[in-house]
Amino acid sequence: MKHLIALAIKFVIITLVLLVILTWAFDVSFLNTLMISLALTALSYAIGDLLVFLNAGKPDNQVSRNTVATFTDFIMALAIILLIGWLLTGEFAAMVAPALVSALVLSAGEWFFHQYVDRSVVPWYNDYTPAKR
């Protein structure tokens, strides 16, 4: 249940950011923005939050794990927004600036989302010790 709540929070954050940047500022259609949000939420949570964030360093070194995961999320958001945006709109060059701005804003939010994941979604991870394994 905690993962579903985290996914819902992540989807809302991503959708709101992309609506403001892609739809309102760069005139990407609402439907395209929604499809990008769905894909980015699923991939970002599975890869950036569960795979990279939880395995990018020692469990007790949250700052190191967060830095690596936030950078990974930036690259992933940039690539996904650019690729899906290009496929949906047919305009690669026109998607570069919106993808870059969106990825930067989302990365800033990811830093705080990773802290939420650490505290509320997988708090057991911080109690990890090799002896408990």
Side-chain angles (χ1 to χ4, degrees):
M1 186 65 168
K2 291 180 181 183
H3 289 287
L4 290 177
I5 293 169
L7 267 170
I9 292 169
K10 187 173 194 82
F11 176 72
V12 168
I13 291 169
I14 288 173
T15 302
L16 290 175
V17 167
L18 293 185
L19 277 173
V20 169
I21 296 171
L22 295 181
T23 302
W24 293 342
F26 289 96
D27 291 328
V28 174
S29 77
F30 174 77
L31 184 59
N32 288 348
T33 297
L34 192 59
M35 290 196 301
I36 293 169
S37 296
L38 284 169
L40 184 56
T41 299
L43 291 170
S44 173
Y45 189 72
I47 296 169
D49 299 330
L50 297 181
L51 184 64
V52 174
F53 177 62
L54 294 180
N55 296 299
K58 295 182 180 179
D60 59 341
N61 192 349
Q62 199 271 347
V63 173
S64 174
R65 291 184 295 117
N66 202 352
T67 302
V68 171
T70 300
F71 180 74
T72 301
D73 282 325
F74 169 77
I75 298 298
M76 192 173 359
L78 179 64
I80 290 170
I81 294 166
L82 189 56
L83 178 63
I84 295 176
W86 174 40
L87 292 173
L88 293 173
T89 65
E91 299 179 28
F92 183 81
M95 287 303 300
V96 173
L100 185 58
V101 172
S102 298
L104 285 169
V105 173
L106 288 171
S107 295
E110 285 292 339
W111 182 268
F112 298 102
F113 185 75
H114 294 150
Q115 293 174 349
Y116 165 76
V117 168
D118 236 11
R119 281 191 315 270
S120 301
V121 180
V122 289
W124 54 267
Y125 188 76
N126 293 324
D127 296 333
Y128 171 86
T129 61
K132 292 181 182 178
R133 200 174 209 195

